[in-house]
Amino acid sequence: MSTKITFIGGGNMATSLIAGLICNDYIASDITVAEPDQKKCDKLHQLYAVNAFTDNQQAIADAEIIVLAVKPQVMQPVCKALASTVQKTRPLVISIAAGLLSKDISRWLGDNISMVRCMPNTPSLLNAGATGLFANENVSASQKQQAEQILSTAGITVWVEQETLLDAVTAVSGSGPAYYFLFMEAMQNAAEKLGLNQQQAKQLTLQTALGAARMAIESDDDVAILRNRVTSKGGTTEQAIKTFEERQLQDIVMQAMQAANDKAIDLAAILGKDE
Ligand SMILES: NC(=O)c1ccc[n+]([C@@H]2O[C@H](COP(=O)([O-])OP(=O)(O)OC[C@H]3O[C@@H](n4cnc5c(N)ncnc54)[C@H](OP(=O)(O)O)[C@@H]3O)[C@@H](O)[C@H]2O)c1
């Protein structure tokens, strides 16, 4: 792929995606980043040999793909300022901003644009991310492929057919890392109460999380089968699982994820209001 890409915002996510593209042999001179902080511009140029500007307009002049990588709160003024150029050059626009609907970004950019909205998660910063993607009706098959190539440098990608399903993606993979952190935190605390020291509790908990995730990913079997396989009748694991079930773990998870899904809908309505 050799298409001119401009990142608007040169922060954590943009840097991670740029690093991923360069690792995948993307031509550095085809990548441009716009970032108000001159020091960050210099650093990105030094690290990856990409073009870096403090001026957004200059950065998008010949862009075929624009990746919007600024915080959701500044997206509206950023897009409105880019609108006249975007209406002339008609690039593919990819937004990685959490919670902002494609129709709102599209309206700020002047409508009828080809737009892919993505919901990446924090492990994307380690190339271990999970990203949900939605393409609006103006996006061509080859543009979908281009968007997927860019986001797949940060981890796995999953397309959804309706944008509303990105709220579910938010509830699963967007917020999901925090659920696992919470569970690990609870396990570490319990391990210490059972007599292990802090370091032992941490090492055993984290390695168990990593090992279980690797087994689940590398196995052809469903996680329910893997769980049954390590739950011997009358054994220790069975006792623990029984306790989780008595306390309705499945219901707790459903309620928590429904709450995340509903909050995503509320936030999108607030973030998408015209200033
Ligand atoms: N980090 C994650 O794990 C994660 C996960 C999912 C989605 N996202 C989404 O990814 C987007 C970027 O997040 P991030 O974590 O990379 O944030 P970040 O590190 O704060 O990056 C945003 C960058 O945009 C720059 N910026 C601010 N105003 C700008 C403007 N007018 N024009 C151009 N650049 C401007 C900021 O510069 P200054 O710092 O100098 O203001 C900063 O370098 C957000 O929309 C977020 O919702 C992030």
Side-chain angles (χ1 to χ4, degrees):
M1 185 167 76
S2 178
T3 307
K4 293 198 181 302
I5 306 178
T6 293
F7 289 83
I8 302 293
N12 295 315
M13 280 300 289
T15 303
S16 180
L17 291 172
I18 290 168
L21 287 169
I22 299 291
C23 271
N24 283 277
D25 298 326
Y26 206 92
I27 301 164
S29 59
D30 282 344
I31 302 174
T32 299
V33 56
E35 164 59 49
D37 182 343
Q38 183 66 54
K39 279 193 189 136
K40 276 195 203 169
C41 278
D42 294 343
K43 198 171 165 201
L44 285 163
H45 177 67
Q46 276 163 16
L47 279 175
Y48 304 110
V50 295
N51 313 298
F53 297 103
T54 53
D55 177 34
N56 292 355
Q57 294 295 339
Q58 203 177 353
I60 63 161
D62 60 355
E64 293 158 90
I65 300 176
I66 296 178
V67 181
L68 298 170
V70 293
K71 291 280 186 204
Q73 294 77 4
V74 299
M75 191 65 90
Q76 189 168 161
V78 165
C79 288
K80 285 181 173 170
L82 299 179
S84 63
T85 309
V86 165
Q87 284 300 319
K88 274 185 225 131
T89 57
R90 317 296 301 174
L92 166 67
V93 176
I94 300 173
S95 165
I96 62 165
L100 273 170
L101 301 181
S102 64
K103 71 173 170 61
D104 294 321
I105 298 176
S106 198
R107 186 175 69 252
W108 299 330
L109 287 170
D111 280 330
N112 292 323
I113 53 158
S114 304
M115 159 129 217
V116 171
R117 183 186 152 204
C118 312
M119 184 60 214
N121 64 1
T122 310
S124 301
L125 302 173
L126 309 173
N127 304 110
T131 299
L133 302 109
F134 165 77
N136 78 1
E137 64 283 1
N138 302 320
V139 177
S140 67
S142 66
Q143 286 177 322
K144 269 182 94 171
Q145 217 179 352
Q146 287 174 320
E148 190 173 314
Q149 269 179 303
I150 295 169
L151 270 302
S152 64
T153 66
I156 67 135
T157 53
V158 174
W159 286 97
V160 293
E161 292 303 319
Q162 295 132 34
E163 189 168 2
T164 50
L165 287 175
L166 284 185
D167 299 321
V169 170
T170 303
V172 181
S173 48
S175 302
Y179 314 157
Y180 287 105
F181 296 146
L182 178 68
F183 200 80
M184 287 186 247
E185 200 183 319
M187 275 183 69
Q188 282 184 61
N189 289 338
E192 285 184 51
K193 287 199 179 116
L194 291 172
L196 297 173
N197 70 32
Q198 200 183 23
Q199 204 201 357
Q200 291 164 335
K202 185 175 175 180
Q203 269 186 309
L204 292 170
T205 300
L206 301 195
Q207 182 60 29
T208 303
L210 177 67
R214 274 196 56 195
M215 278 185 79
I217 285 173
E218 289 171 23
S219 170
D220 290 332
D221 293 324
D222 282 343
V223 283
I225 291 174
L226 295 179
R227 173 168 63 81
N228 279 332
R229 208 173 279 151
V230 292
T231 311
S232 316
K233 266 227 155 325
T236 57
T237 312
E238 187 186 56
Q239 282 307 304
I241 301 277
K242 217 169 120 188
T243 309
F244 285 135
E245 282 172 350
E246 280 166 8
R247 301 291 175 102
Q248 316 279 345
L249 179 68
Q250 301 259 5
D251 284 354
I252 294 172
V253 172
M254 184 63 235
Q255 283 170 32
M257 287 173 62
Q258 185 70 55
N261 183 92
D262 296 350
K263 188 71 184 179
I265 297 169
D266 291 349
L267 287 175
I270 295 166
L271 287 166
K273 275 199 186 119
D274 284 317
E275 283 168 2

